[in-house]
Amino acid sequence: MAGRAGARHLLLTGRSGAASEAATQAVAKMRADGVDVVVAKADVSDERQVAGVIEEIRHSMPPLRGVVHAAGILDDGVLMQLDEERFATVMAPKVNGAWNLHRLTLEDDLDFFVLFSSAASVLGSPGQGNYVAANAFLDALAHHRRALGMPALAINWGAWTEVGLATRSDRVEHLTRQGIMPFTPEQGVLLMERMLERDLVQCMGVAMDWGKILGSYTPPVLSRLSEEVLAGEGPAKKDSSVRKDILAAEPEERRGLVERFLVEQIAQVLKCSPTKGDAYEPLNRLGIDSLMAVELKNRVEADLETSLPVTALLQGPSLSQLATQLLEGLDAPAAEAPEEAEDGLEAQVEGLTDEEVDALLRDLVKEEEKAEG
Ligand SMILES: NC(=O)c1ccc[n+]([C@@H]2O[C@H](COP(=O)([O-])OP(=O)(O)OC[C@H]3O[C@@H](n4cnc5c(N)ncnc54)[C@H](OP(=O)(O)O)[C@@H]3O)[C@@H](O)[C@H]2O)c1
């Protein structure tokens, strides 16, 4: 992109410099294309270090004409698990970093000031409260700069494939399942060029499978659009072969299939994947609250065609215990599943507000913790 945009002098910074194999290759390619590339180690969240880098540019390079802020890190977890430190870690490169670049280049005559934000700050992203907040700051900074008459573009990226944060762990697969389709670096660069040409201040660059995303979860910001899209094509059809596949498998393979299915469903509901170690943790400790329990029940019942009372989930089983329970019920069709006792927990839940259900859930966890000693 640097070459195509006519930039002949680039200064790239990161805490580790261009240390990775991919970064070394990218720098070599740009140099081969005739771009003068300087790599400097600096932590963008540290004002002194950023000032040092800018000083270096002023002494040894042509005038600074543009800034692209793309520093970012992830530390995902449901809100209850995110403490001050985990917020500060994720906020530092984005909030402090972008603010340092903004303040220290106020006197420079820039053509562009691009902030790599995320679609997460527009659409929301359960399990990424710290990341969402950090990116929301970038969006606000772009508008603030424009209000001051300065160039700014915040790009709310969806998922990139081949490079970057989303390719680590199974994030791309997770996003694809939700309906956010990844695009290649070439497509991303093209999009960014178009946004700059149109002089936009904030723009979301996301490839969406609308049927999928609106069929499973409608971000509030898309609710109007959702009505139009769903009226046109209807939500994505679910794959109803899960139960068939499990029943067709050898008995010793069934447990693995049910557990994998549960991991996928829990990941969809929590919008972040449980780890292997989470299999023995009560679901409510993974962050499944009462509303999520209802969503999980609906998903499991629709795909496995078996009954899963919401009370069974509210009692806080682990994923592994739930798999056992579902395996036992799989041979019986849903219609024959036993009705829940009228005077049981479900009867207690009937008629309660969400807050009351959450309080009940907390009491159950406390009781369970007491029982565990
Ligand atoms: N990839 C995607 O699908 C996607 C989607 C939405 C938004 N984004 C945003 O796009 C940006 C780039 O993401 P990416 O996927 O390319 O991630 P990446 O490959 O992990 O690159 C992030 C870069 O930030 C640098 N960095 C982190 N903390 C820093 C700090 N304190 N000071 C200086 N540099 C720092 C890292 O280098 P060091 O570790 O050496 O410091 C790394 O080179 C991020 O802001 C991300 O939030 C990406």
Side-chain angles (χ1 to χ4, degrees):
M1 176 186 176
R4 278 218 304 268
R8 307 320 293 164
H9 305 273
L10 275 184
L11 185 133
L12 305 176
T13 65
R15 290 161 305 173
S16 51
S20 70
E21 176 72 23
T24 314
Q25 280 177 13
V27 169
K29 161 109 185 39
M30 284 189 274
R31 286 187 175 140
D33 289 344
V35 182
D36 166 29
V37 183
V38 176
V39 179
K41 274 193 200 179
D43 182 336
V44 75
S45 66
D46 181 323
E47 187 179 356
R48 209 178 36 83
Q49 293 187 34
V50 182
V53 167
I54 291 175
E55 199 53 30
E56 158 96 24
I57 295 174
R58 299 218 163 103
H59 274 106
S60 58
M61 296 179 83
L64 181 62
R65 301 308 301 268
V67 172
V68 177
H69 174 281
I73 47 178
L74 291 176
D75 186 7
D76 296 349
V78 289
L79 213 45
M80 297 286 283
Q81 298 167 332
L82 296 182
D83 54 18
E84 195 180 338
E85 193 188 335
R86 292 181 72 183
F87 258 90
T89 309
V90 172
M91 303 285 266
K94 297 240 174 199
V95 177
N96 305 19
W99 188 247
N100 286 338
L101 288 169
H102 162 67
R103 293 228 322 108
L104 293 165
T105 58
L106 280 173
E107 303 301 321
D108 292 278
D109 183 18
L110 301 183
D111 294 330
F112 58 88
F113 189 99
V114 180
L115 297 153
F116 272 34
S117 178
S118 164
S121 64
V122 177
L123 302 177
S125 181
Q128 292 196 302
N130 47 5
Y131 186 68
V132 167
N135 283 296
F137 177 85
L138 299 183
D139 304 343
L141 178 59
H143 289 278
H144 174 65
R145 284 182 57 90
R146 278 300 178 105
L148 296 175
M150 308 178 115
L153 165 64
I155 308 179
N156 301 95
W157 291 116
W160 290 53
T161 183
E162 297 175 29
V163 292
L165 289 172
T167 54
R168 288 165 220 147
S169 71
D170 56 358
R171 189 113 199 112
V172 169
E173 290 74 26
H174 175 62
L175 290 168
T176 307
R177 273 200 303 274
Q178 275 182 267
I180 295 184
M181 317 312 283
F183 41 69
T184 62
E186 288 71 28
Q187 291 169 322
V189 167
L190 204 66
L191 262 176
M192 177 163 146
E193 285 174 1
R194 298 237 169 109
M195 291 174 198
L196 283 168
E197 275 162 24
R198 290 185 189 189
D199 200 23
L200 302 172
V201 57
Q202 182 181 2
C203 185
M204 187 162 74
V206 184
M208 296 265 201
D209 178 331
W210 290 107
K212 243 190 206 173
I213 194 153
L214 300 176
S216 57
Y217 154 74
T218 305
V221 73
L222 297 179
S223 56
R224 216 174 114 208
L225 185 62
S226 142
E227 284 162 26
E228 288 167 25
V229 172
L230 295 183
E233 53 184 69
K237 296 268 175 299
K238 281 195 157 229
D239 175 9
S240 60
S241 63
V242 187
R243 177 189 169 93
K244 230 168 44 203
D245 290 348
I246 294 171
L247 290 177
E250 295 298 325
E252 63 276 15
E253 288 170 2
R254 286 187 189 175
R255 183 173 190 88
L257 291 177
V258 171
E259 286 187 353
R260 257 203 306 284
F261 164 76
L262 280 176
V263 166
E264 273 170 27
Q265 302 313 308
I266 291 168
Q268 292 274 338
V269 171
L270 273 178
K271 305 286 188 281
C272 75
S273 294
T275 62
K276 268 197 185 144
D278 290 337
Y280 302 99
E281 281 288 319
L283 294 182
N284 36 35
R285 287 216 201 119
L286 299 186
I288 300 261
D289 62 17
S290 53
L291 287 182
M292 291 176 179
V294 174
E295 191 190 335
L296 185 60
K297 162 199 160 72
N298 291 341
R299 285 174 167 275
V300 169
E301 287 189 342
D303 280 344
L304 296 188
E305 297 164 34
T306 186
S307 165
L308 176 61
V310 75
T311 50
L313 290 172
L314 290 179
Q315 278 160 339
S318 65
L319 188 152
S320 169
Q321 286 166 334
L322 193 55
T324 307
Q325 190 181 331
L326 289 171
L327 274 168
E328 283 164 7
L330 259 186
D331 288 325
E336 289 169 24
E339 290 277 319
E340 208 155 358
E342 266 293 296
D343 57 352
L345 197 49
E346 182 135 57
Q348 287 183 47
V349 173
E350 278 296 316
L352 295 184
T353 64
D354 289 343
E355 290 73 27
E356 288 165 336
V357 175
D358 281 332
L360 180 59
L361 189 62
R362 277 196 297 278
D363 289 346
L364 285 167
V365 174
K366 268 192 216 136
E367 273 172 32
E368 194 200 336
E369 282 173 347
K370 241 192 253 158
E372 281 173 3

